[in-house]
């Protein structure tokens, strides 16, 4: 073979050029579809521009090649030589562009990856943020619920303790470090004789009656932290004293500094009075038993002394010295017997009648006997006797003796001042179902220190010989026997407001009994 | 006065205009001979080949493992080979002139005359460069189609 035909090369060139144009456009189509689907995707953008540049290059080159073959086939070599530099220039230019686009890939993909990484990080951060926001939202919702529940519980608790504070029948108070009472419930103010409307500014110094008690209170509360069952006396607004049982706790701040105290005080005045009365009753009962025993023992020898002295009086003339002495013995023996009889009455050992009595009638009877004597000493009697009162059951004679005792005492209390007023009242207290008789004088009154002793046997403030000290104790025994009580008020309140003198309030229970006398 | 100031300010531009209208010998501009175009073209082939190799490396670095991206790498290989063939063809053109061809009739009857040296045979082979460029474009088409399909599948997922 001496030569090789160029025809196959010419055909390959022409057909290949044509196929290249077709394939480059088909590639560009898919690149276009990709970029249209995801315009923001860098890779698709790169592939699109790569394919676009390749299409330009392929078209430039393939068209150049086809034109060359066509021109040469049709013997237009000159024309092709004119066109050839342009075709070559374009091919060169587009080839360089294609190379430039290819180089751009790596840096572009790095940037794209960096952006993707950032986007992924951002997405993860957003997801975490969403999760956090969701958690926060749930927490917020839960928190709202918790806060609502806690608030309700707090409100319920506050209401409970507020009710306890307000409705407590004992004094509840809060005090600051300077002893100032910053809060006190209405029961406490009522106990001290103030009203809520007054809003009094009180301190413990004003409330405590004894400075010593207050010092004791503070020393204990600061050193121990609390005070338990401290017995103290409080001063009321009107100056009267009440007896309280106090328990308090110290309040400290975060630095353990004393900032105040809170406490509860219970008014035990009534309890204390009752205890004193009970103690007094027990004392009187034991004294009565002793007196009864003594009276019984003395009564027999006294009867013998009186009997023998009277027998001996028959043997001697009354004017004789012996007769005189025997009269003295007889008189003193009788006096002793009267004392013994009084002691027996006090100890309720004597016999009693049981009959229906109108108390005002007894008072009238007593006044009928004593009024003349009273008027002699310029003592005016004022009656306030209610006749529409129920009867009580008792011994009229003994009750007369009681009222005589009271009136005599009143008389003695007023006779020194030369005049006075004696008030007698009798009325029915329906609520307590009691008949109350009151004997009030305008005398010198009973000193506070002896008020508790006036019912003791043989206790008297009178001079020797004027009183035996058995009058009030006998009266006490009789009233006890009738189921009644005696209250002493000294100084006694008067209608004009100024307290003076003494008042005895005798209370009898009203019980329905037959009018017939009964022997006990 | 204003006219004088304006003329003073415009003087550099007027000088430039004068030089433009009367150019004389523009010595600053370098003249280019005919071979320069061939060199630029050949350098473009080298540059393109290098860019394709860089693209292959870049794709492999990107760790795109799908079929489409594999086809794109094959495209790059074929295009790089085509560049080598084309570069060789352009280089050998100066060794094979019209005297080595005989023509009995028209252009289509042109034949490469013997005796056949390696240069002649290689030159003939380089004339068949479409045997590389067509497969390259075919793989580019397959690559784009594959990438598009993959993106559609990913979207469906």
């Amino acid at each position: 073979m001496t030569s090789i035909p160029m025809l196959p090369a010419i055909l390959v060139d022409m057909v290949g050029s044509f196929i290249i144009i077709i394939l480059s456009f088909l590639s560009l189509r898919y690149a276009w579809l990709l970029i249209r689907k995801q315009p923001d995707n860098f890779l698709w953008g790169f592939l699109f521009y790569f394919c676009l540049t390749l299409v330009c290059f392929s078209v430039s080159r393939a068209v150049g090649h086809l034109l060359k073959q066509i021109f040469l086939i049709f013997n237009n070599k000159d024309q092709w030589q004119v066109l050839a530099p342009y075709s070559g220039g374009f091919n060169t230019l587009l080839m360089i562009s294609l190379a430039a686009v290819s180089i751009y890939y790596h840096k572009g993909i790095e940037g794209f990856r960096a952006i993707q990484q950032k986007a992924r990080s951002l997405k993860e951060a957003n997801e975490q943020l969403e999760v956090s926001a969701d958690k926060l939202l749930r927490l917020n919702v839960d928190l709202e619920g918790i806060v609502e529940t806690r608030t309700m519980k707090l409100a319920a608790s506050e209401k409970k303790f507020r009710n306890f504070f307000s409705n407590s029948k004992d004094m509840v108070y809060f005090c600051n470090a300077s002893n100032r009472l910053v809060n006190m419930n209405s029961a406490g103010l009522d106990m001290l004789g103030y009203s809520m409307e007054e809003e009094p500014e009180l301190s413990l110094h004003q409330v405590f009656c004894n400075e010593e008690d207050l010092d004791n209170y503070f020393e204990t509360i600061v050193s121990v932290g609390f005070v338990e069952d401290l017995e103290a006396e409080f001063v009321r607004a009107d100056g009267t004293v009440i007896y309280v049982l106090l328990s308090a706790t110290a309040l400290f701040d975060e630095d353990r500094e004393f900032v105040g105290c809170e406490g509860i005080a219970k008014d035990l005045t009534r309890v204390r009075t009752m205890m004193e009365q009970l103690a007094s009753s027990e004392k009187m009962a034991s004294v009565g038993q002793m007196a009864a025993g003594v009276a019984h023992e003395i009564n027999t020898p006294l009867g013998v002394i009186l009997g023998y002295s009277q027998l001996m009086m028959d043997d001697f003339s009354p004017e004789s010295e012996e007769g005189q002495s025997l009269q003295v013995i007889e008189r003193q023996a009788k006096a002793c017997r009267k004392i013994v009889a009084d002691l027996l009455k006090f100890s309720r050992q004597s016999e009693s009648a049981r009959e229906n009595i109108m108390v005002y009638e007894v008072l009238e009877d007593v006044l009928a006997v004593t009024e003349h004597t009273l008027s002699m000493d310029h003592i005016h009697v004022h009656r306030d006797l209610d006749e529409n009162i129920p009867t009580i059951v008792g011994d009229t004679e003994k009750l007369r003796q009681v009222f005589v005792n009271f009136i005599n005492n009143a008389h003695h209390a007023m006779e020194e001042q030369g005049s006075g007023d004696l008030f007698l009242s009798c009325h029915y207290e329906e609520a307590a179902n009691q008949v109350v008789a009151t004997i009030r004088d305008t005398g010198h009154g009973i000193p506070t220190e002896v008020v508790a002793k006036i019912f003791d046997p043989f206790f008297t403030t009178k001079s020797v010989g004027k009183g035996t000290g058995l009058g009030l104790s006998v009266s006490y025994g009789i009233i006890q026997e009738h189921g009644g009580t005696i209250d002493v008020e000294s100084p006694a309140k008067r209608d004009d407001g100024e307290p003076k003198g003494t008042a005895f309030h005798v209370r009898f229970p009203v019980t329905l009994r037959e009018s017939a006398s009964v022997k006990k | 006065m204003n006219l004088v100031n304006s003329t003073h300010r415009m003087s550099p531009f007027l000088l430039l205009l004068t030089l433009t209208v009367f150019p004389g010998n523009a010595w600053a501009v370098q003249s280019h001979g005919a071979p320069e175009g061939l060199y630029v073209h050949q350098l473009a082939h080298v540059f393109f080949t290098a860019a394709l190799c860089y693209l292959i490396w870049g794709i492999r670095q990107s760790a795109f493992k799908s079929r489409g991206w594999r086809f794109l790498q094959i495209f790059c290989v074929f295009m790089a080979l085509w560049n080598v063939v084309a570069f060789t063809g352009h280089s050998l053109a100066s060794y094979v002139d019209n005297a080595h061809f005989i023509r009995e009739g028209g252009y289509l009857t042109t034949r490469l005359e013997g005796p056949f040296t390696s240069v002649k045979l290689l030159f003939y082979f380089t004339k068949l460069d479409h045997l590389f460029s067509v497969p390259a474009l075919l793989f580019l088409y397959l690559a784009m189609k594959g990438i598009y399909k993959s993106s559609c599948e990913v979207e469906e997922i």
Side-chain angles (χ1 to χ4, degrees):
Chain A
M1 193 164 63
T2 56
S3 63
I4 303 169
M6 291 301 289
L7 185 60
I10 293 166
L11 288 175
V12 166
D13 192 36
M14 291 181 75
V15 173
S17 297
F18 183 73
I19 292 169
I20 280 172
I21 291 171
I22 301 296
L23 288 173
S24 65
F25 272 102
L26 285 174
S27 302
L28 183 65
R29 176 177 169 267
Y30 280 113
W32 168 247
L33 289 174
L34 279 170
I35 201 168
R36 218 175 61 169
K37 201 162 69 172
Q38 290 176 319
D40 296 332
N41 192 316
F42 164 79
L43 280 173
W44 306 161
F46 164 77
L47 290 174
F48 176 75
Y49 285 110
F50 183 80
C51 289
L52 185 65
T53 315
L54 194 72
V55 163
C56 293
F57 171 68
S58 301
V59 168
S60 167
R61 184 173 174 278
V63 168
H65 279 233
L66 284 171
L67 284 173
K68 177 191 169 187
Q69 298 302 346
I70 289 165
F71 279 131
L72 290 177
I73 287 166
F74 292 102
N75 286 323
N76 291 324
K77 191 178 178 182
D78 296 337
Q79 287 179 4
W80 166 242
Q81 280 178 345
V82 172
L83 203 63
Y86 292 102
S87 175
F90 271 117
N91 288 347
T92 305
L93 192 66
L94 289 167
M95 206 151 52
I96 291 167
S97 302
L98 202 53
V101 171
S102 303
I103 289 167
Y104 181 65
Y105 169 80
H106 185 68
K107 284 293 165 193
I109 201 79
E110 276 182 359
F112 176 67
R113 281 194 180 281
I115 290 166
Q116 265 194 331
Q117 185 65 34
K118 288 275 180 194
R120 205 175 294 121
S121 302
L122 205 64
K123 194 181 172 187
E124 283 173 7
N126 275 339
E127 283 172 0
Q128 283 179 354
L129 204 65
E130 276 179 20
V131 171
S132 299
D134 194 41
K135 278 182 184 173
L136 203 64
L137 188 70
R138 279 204 301 274
L139 197 67
N140 194 31
V141 171
D142 291 348
L143 195 67
E144 279 179 13
I146 291 166
V147 167
E148 197 175 338
T149 310
R150 292 276 165 85
T151 308
M152 282 170 68
K153 282 183 179 175
L154 201 63
S157 174
E158 202 275 339
K159 190 180 174 185
K160 186 169 70 182
F161 286 106
R162 172 62 57 183
N163 285 343
F164 169 73
F165 179 77
S166 303
N167 301 336
S168 172
K169 301 301 175 196
D170 295 329
M171 176 193 289
V172 181
Y173 66 89
F174 294 90
C175 174
N176 63 16
S178 56
N179 305 334
R180 189 167 200 79
L181 289 163
V182 288
N183 275 112
M184 183 180 280
N185 63 345
S186 57
L189 289 171
D190 192 42
M191 202 184 286
L192 292 175
Y194 298 97
S195 66
M196 288 292 277
E197 289 73 29
E198 285 179 75
E199 294 180 357
E201 292 186 354
L202 295 169
S203 72
L204 288 179
H205 289 288
Q206 290 170 270
V207 172
F208 269 78
C209 184
N210 302 320
E211 200 68 31
E212 198 180 318
D213 285 346
L214 185 61
D215 292 343
N216 183 24
Y217 171 83
F218 270 111
E219 277 174 21
T220 312
I221 208 160
V222 171
S223 59
V224 183
F226 63 89
V227 167
E228 196 172 13
D229 296 337
L230 176 72
E231 295 178 5
E233 287 177 339
F234 281 1
V235 183
R236 282 168 55 86
D238 59 5
T240 54
V241 174
I242 57 170
Y243 180 79
V244 297
L245 190 68
L246 187 64
S247 291
T249 307
L251 299 173
F252 298 97
D253 64 6
E254 291 166 353
D255 302 324
R256 297 296 301 160
E257 287 290 323
F258 177 75
V259 292
C261 59
E262 57 191 15
I264 298 175
K266 189 168 188 65
D267 185 0
L268 293 180
T269 309
R270 279 175 60 83
V271 175
R272 194 183 198 190
T273 308
M274 284 169 66
M275 292 293 284
E276 283 173 355
Q277 285 176 350
L278 191 66
S280 176
S281 298
E282 285 176 357
K283 185 176 75 179
M284 298 297 263
S286 54
V287 168
Q289 280 180 348
M290 189 187 73
V294 170
H296 270 296
E297 293 302 317
I298 290 173
N299 222 12
T300 309
L302 206 57
V304 174
I305 292 167
L306 190 60
Y308 275 97
S309 61
Q310 284 171 345
L311 280 173
M312 285 176 74
M313 280 171 74
D314 293 340
D315 299 335
F316 297 98
S317 159
E319 287 78 24
S320 64
E321 191 179 342
E322 290 81 3
Q324 291 285 320
S325 298
L326 286 169
Q327 282 175 15
V328 171
I329 291 168
E330 185 196 24
R331 194 164 57 245
Q332 292 305 316
K334 282 181 177 174
C336 284
R337 210 163 65 168
K338 187 177 180 304
I339 291 169
V340 168
D342 283 345
L343 280 173
L344 286 171
K345 283 177 189 168
F346 165 69
S347 60
R348 286 170 268 163
Q349 296 294 312
S350 60
E351 292 177 346
S352 294
R354 305 289 286 174
E355 58 192 352
N356 288 338
I357 302 166
M358 295 296 277
V359 176
Y360 79 91
E361 287 179 357
V362 180
L363 283 167
E364 285 286 5
D365 291 349
V366 172
L367 278 175
V369 177
T370 57
E371 195 167 10
H372 177 70
T373 317
L374 292 167
S375 62
M376 292 282 283
D377 287 326
H378 308 289
I379 294 168
H380 303 287
V381 178
H382 304 270
R383 291 178 175 82
D384 179 19
L385 305 174
D386 186 359
E387 295 182 3
N388 297 316
I389 57 171
T391 57
I392 63 161
V393 176
D395 188 326
T396 310
E397 283 304 318
K398 285 188 175 180
L399 287 185
R400 276 198 195 116
Q401 187 183 349
V402 168
F403 291 127
V404 166
N405 272 335
F406 288 144
I407 290 169
N408 282 341
N409 283 339
H411 185 188
H412 291 146
M414 292 185 286
E415 68 181 347
E416 285 180 7
Q417 61 196 38
S419 66
D421 294 290
L422 180 68
F423 298 90
L424 294 176
S425 69
C426 181
H427 62 273
Y428 173 62
E429 282 184 358
E430 197 170 355
N433 195 28
Q434 288 176 335
V435 172
V436 183
T438 302
I439 301 97
R440 180 165 66 83
D441 63 56
T442 55
H444 50 67
I446 305 169
T448 313
E449 59 271 18
V450 299
V451 166
K453 300 177 184 174
I454 58 173
F455 293 108
D456 291 358
F458 305 110
F459 177 81
T460 181
T461 56
K462 294 171 187 169
S463 56
V464 180
K466 281 196 171 180
T468 58
L470 286 171
L472 282 177
S473 55
V474 168
S475 301
Y476 178 85
I478 291 167
I479 298 302
Q480 286 278 305
E481 192 180 348
H482 283 77
T485 59
I486 307 175
D487 292 332
V488 188
E489 188 185 357
S490 183
K493 285 179 189 169
R494 297 202 313 186
D495 295 337
D496 57 8
E498 189 190 347
K500 193 183 178 188
T502 305
F504 286 90
H505 305 281
V506 185
R507 298 168 197 278
F508 297 100
V510 175
T511 49
L512 294 173
R513 288 289 184 95
E514 291 178 5
S515 61
S517 297
V518 288
K519 294 285 182 183
K520 188 180 179 183
Chain B
M1 190 69 180
N2 285 339
L3 185 64
V4 174
N5 285 340
S6 300
T7 309
H8 182 72
R9 281 203 301 272
M10 296 289 286
S11 56
F13 298 102
L14 289 171
L15 179 64
L16 188 64
L17 184 65
T18 309
L19 289 172
T20 311
V21 174
F22 305 103
N25 292 322
W27 290 320
V29 180
Q30 186 185 350
S31 59
H32 297 283
E36 199 171 311
L38 179 63
Y39 295 160
V40 169
H41 190 81
Q42 291 291 69
L43 285 171
H45 274 297
V46 173
F47 182 41
F48 191 24
T49 307
L52 286 166
C53 292
Y54 187 57
L55 183 59
I56 292 169
W57 176 78
I59 291 167
R60 295 180 81 83
Q61 286 291 108
S62 306
F64 293 129
K65 303 288 181 193
S66 71
R67 202 174 162 193
W69 289 99
R70 280 205 305 276
F71 283 147
L72 193 63
Q73 288 179 62
I74 296 168
F75 156 80
C76 290
V77 170
F78 270 101
M79 274 315 270
L81 289 173
W82 170 80
N83 272 294
V84 171
V85 170
F87 182 88
T88 309
H90 292 314
S91 302
L92 294 176
S94 57
Y95 298 102
V96 182
D97 55 14
N98 286 337
H100 293 97
F101 294 98
I102 53 169
R103 193 178 294 170
E104 293 171 354
Y107 171 69
L108 295 175
T109 61
T110 308
R111 296 174 73 93
L112 181 64
E113 195 179 25
F116 295 111
T117 60
S118 57
V119 173
K120 279 184 182 177
L121 288 173
L122 193 59
F123 176 77
Y124 188 84
F125 174 71
T126 59
K127 285 293 173 186
L128 299 171
D129 63 330
H130 281 97
L131 294 176
F132 292 95
S133 61
V134 170
L137 264 295
L138 180 66
F139 277 111
L140 177 67
Y141 165 71
L142 292 173
M144 296 312 297
K145 192 178 173 182
I147 290 168
Y148 176 71
K149 290 277 168 64
S150 296
S151 75
C152 290
E153 283 167 10
V154 169
E155 203 171 58
E156 279 174 16
I157 291 166

